[in-house]
Amino acid sequence: NPKRRAPPRAPRHKRRATGGKRFNDRKKRKFELGRPPTNTKIGVKKVSEVRTRGGNKKFRALRLESGNYSWGSEVCTRKTRVLDVVYNASNNELVRTKTLVKNAIVQVDATPFRQWYEAHYGVKIGLKKRGKKKDGDDADVKKSSRVLRKLASRQKGRVLDATLDDQFASGRLLACISSRPGQSGRADGYILEGSELAFYKKKLDVKKDKKH
């Protein structure tokens, strides 16, 4: 349809590296077409289907509100809400407009991961703001001796990063989107940890200082 013709991705309309004009010997081809950016936003899920070459399909996520996020060190994956876009290495405009793209740094709801951690280890986390942190069992929930032995064995090698614990206290975890929302229709990713978390925390702190 000539009314909806997309710009081509072929370089024939561009000049040579020397600045000279390139001779164009043919018209545009369907396989050279480019498509407009999806600019996925945070909101009630809306995904459109695009027919591509060979009858294959791409899924354009126009709006997404949740995704599957993996906590690598604990080997735990949970579906959780995406709350905000806080950093993007390629373009600050994508942060201002809260656009979900691959490698965007987002804040996700910490509740599903906190509930799993407390059930798996029998330890309360993220309590620094409310009071003294308690290790062990809940006073109101009775556990069998077998369960107590299992929890004790799990706690032997348990280590929780202090930065992650602070995030659990705030109810929001920093995560990175590893899927391509404009291609797969999903905003899946992983929780930031270790040196990667320290790197992005530093970037965000610098950004915060510039505002003040």
Side-chain angles (χ1 to χ4, degrees), residues 135-147:
D135 279 13
D137 313 311
D138 289 340
D140 54 334
V141 179
K142 288 186 178 179
K143 293 184 174 74
S144 66
S145 58
R146 182 174 175 276
V147 170

Side-chain angles (χ1 to χ4, degrees), residues 49-207:
E49 205 175 88
V50 179
R51 186 199 181 274
T52 59
R53 188 172 168 88
N56 295 308
K57 291 174 183 175
K58 284 184 179 179
F59 300 95
R60 292 265 185 271
L62 304 176
R63 291 193 304 270
L64 288 172
E65 58 186 349
S66 62
N68 290 334
Y69 286 83
S70 173
W71 187 357
S73 64
E74 294 292 343
V75 197
C76 168
T77 302
R78 290 290 179 272
K79 182 179 180 180
T80 185
R81 287 186 305 131
V82 178
L83 303 173
D84 197 7
V85 179
V86 292
Y87 184 77
N88 193 308
S90 62
N91 192 350
N92 281 332
E93 193 72 4
L94 298 176
V95 179
R96 190 184 67 79
T97 54
K98 301 193 189 308
T99 305
L100 300 176
V101 293
K102 183 174 178 173
N103 246 45
I105 304 302
V106 295
Q107 283 183 334
V108 298
D109 185 13
T111 308
F113 295 100
R114 182 178 54 76
Q115 288 173 341
W116 172 84
Y117 196 93
E118 290 175 0
H120 187 74
Y121 289 108
V123 173
K124 289 282 185 184
I125 57 172
L127 294 175
K128 289 183 179 177
K129 287 186 177 178
R130 285 175 279 170
K132 194 179 177 184
K133 190 173 154 184
K134 293 183 291 182
D135 279 13
D137 313 311
D138 289 340
D140 54 334
V141 179
K142 288 186 178 179
K143 293 184 174 74
S144 66
S145 58
R146 182 174 175 276
V147 170
L148 290 172
R149 284 197 304 275
K150 187 188 285 186
L151 293 176
S153 67
R154 284 174 181 169
Q155 286 186 38
K156 283 176 185 174
R158 184 182 74 85
V159 177
L160 182 65
D161 187 4
T163 317
L164 268 179
D165 200 22
D166 291 341
Q167 287 185 61
F168 274 113
S170 69
R172 294 179 172 218
L173 296 174
L174 285 176
C176 179
I177 297 177
S178 57
S179 67
R180 300 172 69 191
Q183 309 285 319
S184 63
R186 303 174 66 90
D188 298 339
Y190 58 93
I191 304 301
L192 294 179
E193 299 179 84
S195 58
E196 194 175 10
L197 175 59
F199 174 83
Y200 285 113
K201 282 284 283 181
K202 192 176 178 182
K203 290 280 185 187
L204 291 170
D205 290 341
V206 169
K207 202 173 174 183

